[in-house]
Amino acid sequence: MRAPDFWNEPPGSSVSLLAGLLTPVGAALDAAGRLRRAVVRPYRAPVPVICVGNLVVGGSGKTPVALSLAGMLAGRGIATAIVMRGYGGRLAGPVRVDPRRHDSDAVGDEPLLASASAPCWIARDRAAGVRAAVADGAQAIILDDGFQNPRVAKDLSLVVIDAANGFGNGRLLPAGPLREGIAAGLARADAIVLVGEPPTADAFAAFDRPVLRASVMPVGSTPAAGTPIVAFAGIGRPEKFFATLRDLNVRLVAERGFPDHHIYQAHELAALRGEAATTGARLLTTRKDWLRLPSAERAGIEALDVELRWRDPVAIDALLAPLITRAGDGDRASDR
């Protein structure tokens, strides 16, 4: 879906008619979610579970955070698996993602992306996915999304926030982008990961737990400054991708945004190729979008890779340290 414009209205501004009409629906859905979290008994895994979630729908940077954490744990000798729902894929799971035999139609685009960095399991039943990953030898689990899902107990919950967009209009779905109330959600968080630059320096100053700062940066081969580019993206916020390209000082000939997890049709790709050929530009998209393209359509389309960079690596190390110790102790106990 594409987020409606009124979701991005500043909190406190005049409420659009549609947002006002949908507000009671959001309140009812929020009450149902709170009831579910209160009554469901979560599965407690025998290994540490780190949840990387958010309070809004759309792209906030969860997956780059999850991949960074998985890399940090693996670098300390902890066998780490990522567990995802597999949004957009047809398989219910639990199944370990194998890029040699799975495509985005089967498992979704984000699991394919994650599987290049760490063992990745998809499961609509998140508890079943965690169990499968543990049975496969995982000493720690990164739960990518699932902050609102009560089926799995979390040892560390990080709420990822896009600093530029925050919580949109501050209203609950479907009147706004919020999956749950801000105060209730942050009360369950062990830390905030603020991605990008906030509008004000004191954003989240009242939050009494760690606020970790991070940025998502391009890595690998990037187009040189001045390169003409036709850019397209079907992610939560395509404008973030276009802004990244502008920061690289390329010449953006065109910016074409599509809904999140968009499945590109042949005529759409033909139009993009035609636009690039007419203007003498290169065709560039995100790695997630590139993975959703049919294999036969990937030639001539480049992908921009990104990674998360922590402003204060020592702070995230301090949060992870007790879990790394627990994961290592559990492995030594299993050897005895």
Side-chain angles (χ1 to χ4, degrees):
M1 64 170 288
R2 190 189 298 273
D5 290 339
F6 64 82
W7 279 13
N8 296 317
E9 295 171 352
S13 61
S14 58
V15 180
S16 72
L17 176 61
L18 189 53
L21 292 173
L22 293 174
T23 293
V25 180
L29 293 174
D30 184 51
R34 284 188 281 111
L35 177 62
R36 180 170 177 249
R37 287 191 291 273
V39 301
V40 169
R41 184 176 181 180
Y43 164 65
R44 171 66 66 179
V47 303
V49 174
I50 302 169
C51 178
V52 180
N54 63 5
L55 301 187
V56 300
V57 296
S60 60
K62 292 190 310 297
T63 298
V65 172
L67 294 181
S68 177
L69 295 176
M72 293 172 73
L73 292 171
R76 288 156 176 78
I78 304 300
T80 305
I82 299 173
V83 175
M84 297 178 164
R85 182 185 183 279
Y87 183 86
R90 67 176 182 274
L91 299 181
V95 61
R96 180 169 171 170
V97 178
D98 183 351
R100 295 169 299 182
R101 63 188 183 93
H102 293 139
D103 57 15
S104 64
D105 289 339
V107 298
D109 51 12
E110 290 175 343
L112 276 179
L113 180 65
S115 68
S117 301
C120 180
W121 289 77
I122 60 162
R124 293 178 189 171
D125 180 340
R126 235 59 74 83
V130 171
R131 287 189 181 96
V134 172
D136 192 48
Q139 297 170 275
I141 301 294
I142 306 291
L143 194 62
D144 186 334
D145 211 354
F147 183 68
Q148 287 77 28
N149 188 316
R151 297 290 306 280
V152 177
K154 293 94 173 175
D155 297 284
L156 179 68
S157 289
L158 306 179
V159 168
V160 183
I161 300 172
D162 182 328
N165 292 282
F167 303 117
N169 64 4
R171 291 177 174 267
L172 295 161
L173 283 167
L178 283 171
R179 300 179 178 195
E180 62 174 308
I182 297 170
L186 293 183
R188 300 198 316 279
D190 297 300
I192 285 173
V193 179
L194 197 58
V195 179
E197 293 300 325
T200 59
D202 61 350
F204 306 102
F207 186 67
D208 61 357
R209 275 144 284 166
V211 177
L212 310 171
R213 301 292 303 281
S215 300
V216 175
M217 306 293 292
V219 294
S221 177
T222 58
T227 303
I229 297 290
V230 170
F232 69 98
I235 56 178
R237 295 187 177 89
E239 62 274 11
K240 291 171 60 178
F241 174 58
F242 305 141
T244 297
L245 294 179
R246 285 193 290 273
D247 288 342
L248 292 174
N249 294 315
V250 303
R251 181 164 65 85
L252 278 177
V253 174
E255 303 173 7
R256 303 294 177 231
F258 295 86
D260 199 9
H261 301 285
H262 183 66
I263 303 300
Y264 293 97
Q265 304 301 308
H267 71 275
E268 293 170 329
L269 295 172
L272 290 165
R273 291 183 190 278
E275 194 167 19
T278 300
T279 57
R282 290 159 61 176
L283 203 51
L284 185 65
T285 189
T286 73
R287 180 61 65 183
K288 275 177 39 173
D289 285 280
W290 192 86
L291 288 169
R292 286 200 305 277
L293 298 175
S295 298
E297 294 280 9
R298 292 175 178 173
I301 299 178
E302 301 172 50
L304 184 72
D305 291 305
V306 297
E307 71 176 13
L308 190 92
R309 295 179 185 170
W310 299 95
R311 177 92 46 100
D312 182 3
V314 174
I316 185 63
D317 280 342
L319 278 178
L320 294 179
L323 303 182
I324 291 172
T325 299
R326 177 184 154 196
D329 288 346
D331 185 50
R332 286 189 289 273
S334 65
D335 289 340
R336 289 197 291 268

